[in-house]
Amino acid sequence: MRRVLLAASCVLMLAPSLTGAQGRTTAQRAAPLEPFRPRFHFTPERNWMNDPNGMVYYDGEWHLFYQYNPFGDKWGHMSWGHAVSRDLVHWEQLPLALAESDGVMIFSGSAVVDWRNTSGFGTDGKPPLVALYTGHRDGHQDQRIAYSNDRGRTWSKGGVVLDLNKADFRDPKVFWHAPSSRWVMTVALSPEYKVQFYTSPDLKRWTRSGEFGPAGSRGGIWECPDLFPVQVEGGGTRWVLIVNLNPGAPAGGSGTQYFVGDFDGQRFVPEGEVAQPLWADYGADFYAGVSWSDVPAADGRRVWLGWMSNWSYAQEVPTSPWRSAMSVARTLTLRRTPAGLRLVQRPVAELERLRRGVPRTFAGGTFTQASAWLAAQRDLPMLLDVEMTFAGASSAAPFALQLTTWPAESLALSIDPANRRIALDRTRSGRVAFHKDFPGVHTAPIRIANGEIQLRLLIDAASLELFAQQGETVMTEIFFPTGDSRALSLSATGTTPRVQQIRIHGLDSAR
């Protein structure tokens, strides 16, 4: 998470009740005059939110903690907000979990189920939830511990467990490494472009075991690391090391890079060339991507999400009384490509339960026929899940898909098959003048196999998540339309691909 302290003159809002939100969904509290409030993405009832933290599955609940300011709608007074879900789609906001106190802010970290009670914090034969987080005070950062014995509803702080006497040493991600029967912590030395690994028998005593970096992108500070095994499509497993950085991302500002390799319980060894970064998301608005721990083996998925904003302008976005949302939860796999293993992301299957009725379907035809069919689709819902497949694209000229929200407002997605690039243009997407870095055209590579291009778009009130080539290329962008209509159109100026299929699903709100 970003570590820039705000001036004391910052205007603060009254603190929300820490108990009044108990048992109520965000939907029940959303005011009708909040046009940019997400309908199927998590956002707090009010005030500022950034990095997801402490993500852990326990007793049927997906826990989402997050960096939160209880007093205002800009960064400051960092604490951990808390929400839970039973399906990764519908979220219940709970009282504040870990609050700033004694001048120590609660920065980013992780949570695990201590199944073996190695920490000794458990009671009545039940495993505790244990959180490891960065404490920040007067320019000093250390790693601290807290625990809960009531399913994460209340927490006790246990003090400092690791201190290097540094100003920038943060964001511990902890997991149980079964082959070596001990805990592993991944933590960032931010301005040094390094990640360090520590091991522990009990979550309290930590011994350094290895280090990674500098490597990949060094355009900004490194933070919010994660390390986990991922299944390879077609068989096998590799380890993925996540390193978020700010600035230096492809779309400018903050972003999420990754490395693929092996981990032996002490050291991470990358495979292939690590000078050039690999990016999890090429849009402007995916940061601090981090995965859930303790997902049951019967589920078997690696699931994560990210903060759906960008440090370049996050504190200026035109939303009220809240700022920021999370991306949808996504499953992760690795795919073999000619260039090496690449991360693949797909929206969790649970999201499809929001699809309503029978989808509007174009069964296949020419590009011109598909364009005419789209033009005839009147009164599209605000919330959309759109799937498109194009064939014979390798020899096609550039073509575009537009999402129009008002006569003069649109998001434009351009596909350039010859150069294997896609671009998302939000310069005319609605309210863009609130910050100079917000409007722009952002590009991403796209690999085309057998001439086919597959697109899936998730469209909320004020965001678009694009999953191209079954999640091999991903772009996440927020936008702020002044109109509430939805229309889709296709256009091209040269040789066009065949449109194999279009399916437009309307979505119900998760609120």
Side-chain angles (χ1 to χ4, degrees):
M1 64 164 287
R2 192 186 186 197
R3 312 299 189 232
V4 178
L5 299 182
L6 299 183
S9 60
C10 175
V11 177
L12 298 182
M13 300 171 63
L14 292 177
S17 165
L18 299 188
T19 58
Q22 182 79 40
R24 297 165 58 201
T25 64
T26 309
Q28 293 169 303
R29 303 184 302 275
L33 300 178
E34 297 176 358
F36 305 135
R37 172 78 76 175
R39 307 300 200 272
F40 59 88
H41 292 80
F42 176 77
T43 194
E45 175 185 1
R46 60 188 306 110
N47 296 342
W48 170 267
M49 176 182 73
N50 55 285
D51 306 356
N53 295 159
M55 294 158 62
V56 61
Y57 180 92
Y58 180 62
D59 196 21
E61 293 180 324
W62 301 84
H63 289 263
L64 169 62
F65 300 90
Y66 48 90
Q67 291 286 280
Y68 184 65
N69 182 356
F71 302 102
D73 63 356
K74 290 192 176 183
W75 187 94
H77 299 282
M78 285 292 94
S79 303
W80 275 19
H82 188 195
V84 294
S85 174
R86 290 191 172 273
D87 63 0
L88 291 168
V89 177
H90 300 86
W91 293 95
E92 177 186 357
Q93 189 165 318
L94 297 177
L96 201 65
L98 293 172
E100 172 194 31
S101 62
D102 300 323
V104 178
M105 285 195 278
I106 314 295
F107 278 7
S108 293
S110 54
V112 294
V113 183
D114 186 6
W115 293 104
R116 299 160 185 82
N117 197 24
T118 62
S119 63
F121 291 140
T123 59
D124 300 325
K126 295 181 179 179
L129 292 181
V130 180
L132 280 297
Y133 64 92
T134 297
H136 176 94
R137 181 178 183 176
D138 298 330
H140 177 85
Q141 295 179 357
D142 51 37
Q143 314 318 315
R144 301 182 176 223
I145 196 167
Y147 61 93
S148 171
N149 284 299
D150 61 358
R151 298 169 51 243
R153 270 53 180 183
T154 61
W155 291 81
S156 299
K157 295 177 182 176
V160 177
V161 296
L162 183 58
D163 187 356
L164 300 186
N165 195 30
K166 287 181 175 288
D168 295 286
F169 172 55
R170 56 178 174 266
D171 309 336
K173 181 64 190 291
V174 174
F175 65 93
W176 178 258
H177 187 252
S180 59
S181 297
R182 58 188 176 183
W183 299 99
V184 173
M185 175 193 293
T186 308
V187 63
L189 293 173
S190 297
E192 301 173 39
Y193 314 114
K194 291 181 179 179
V195 168
Q196 289 188 336
F197 308 106
Y198 292 79
T199 62
S200 172
D202 58 7
L203 294 166
K204 300 174 183 176
R205 296 167 293 155
W206 293 94
T207 302
R208 179 180 163 184
S209 65
E211 184 175 273
F212 174 79
S217 177
R218 284 160 274 176
I221 59 172
W222 282 19
E223 53 189 11
C224 301
D226 199 355
L227 177 65
F228 46 80
V230 180
Q231 294 179 357
V232 179
E233 295 175 351
T237 301
R238 291 290 190 279
W239 285 80
V240 171
L241 175 64
I242 300 296
V243 179
N244 292 272
L245 83 162
N246 174 51
S254 44
T256 302
Q257 66 177 325
Y258 68 95
F259 304 89
V260 180
D262 289 305
F263 181 70
D264 63 2
Q266 299 185 78
R267 302 171 193 83
F268 174 80
V269 179
E271 60 182 49
E273 175 61 49
V274 296
Q276 296 299 317
L278 302 175
W279 298 100
D281 196 302
Y282 286 86
D285 298 302
F286 185 90
Y287 189 61
V290 66
S291 66
W292 267 275
S293 66
D294 293 279
V295 177
D299 183 311
R301 295 177 296 177
R302 177 60 58 173
V303 184
W304 80 340
L305 54 66
W307 178 46
M308 200 162 60
S309 196
N310 190 305
W311 276 117
S312 295
Y313 45 75
Q315 299 190 90
E316 308 301 328
V317 295
T319 63
S320 179
W322 85 99
R323 276 204 172 100
S324 300
M326 297 299 180
S327 74
V328 296
R330 306 168 179 179
T331 59
L332 300 178
T333 58
L334 287 167
R335 180 174 298 161
R336 293 181 174 89
T337 77
L341 291 169
R342 294 295 182 264
L343 198 64
V344 171
Q345 302 174 68
R346 295 182 178 89
V348 292
E350 290 91 332
L351 195 66
E352 296 177 14
R353 299 173 190 171
L354 294 180
R355 291 176 174 177
R356 66 188 194 205
V358 178
R360 305 187 193 194
T361 302
F362 176 75
T366 66
F367 194 89
T368 300
Q369 290 169 334
S371 298
W373 181 85
L374 275 178
Q377 303 308 304
R378 307 295 184 183
D379 301 318
L380 289 179
M382 174 181 286
L383 312 181
L384 294 170
D385 183 349
V386 180
E387 299 169 299
M388 292 185 171
T389 303
F390 301 88
S394 296
S395 58
F399 60 97
L401 170 67
Q402 281 196 326
L403 169 67
T404 302
T405 56
W406 199 246
E409 293 180 5
S410 65
L411 277 171
L413 176 65
S414 302
I415 299 97
D416 184 349
N419 292 304
R420 303 299 197 262
R421 304 291 294 179
I422 58 177
L424 191 55
D425 182 349
R426 65 177 178 191
T427 57
R428 295 177 295 277
S429 60
R431 298 183 62 177
V432 299
F434 60 86
H435 194 281
K436 64 179 180 60
D437 292 332
F438 185 79
V441 181
H442 305 131
T443 64
I446 184 170
R447 187 172 65 93
I448 302 175
N450 302 317
E452 189 169 275
I453 294 177
Q454 296 179 325
L455 306 176
R456 183 178 178 187
L457 300 91
L458 294 179
I459 301 167
D460 206 332
S463 66
L464 181 149
E465 288 167 277
L466 167 68
F467 302 86
Q469 305 304 62
Q470 296 183 326
E472 192 173 310
T473 297
V474 180
M475 300 184 77
T476 302
E477 303 260 341
I478 57 176
F479 65 106
F480 302 100
T482 60
D484 60 2
S485 63
R486 294 285 193 265
L488 293 168
S489 60
L490 286 169
S491 61
T493 57
T495 304
T496 56
R498 180 176 177 81
V499 181
Q500 286 189 206
Q501 182 175 257
I502 301 174
R503 287 194 296 178
I504 303 174
H505 307 265
L507 299 179
D508 289 325
S509 173
R511 301 193 176 284

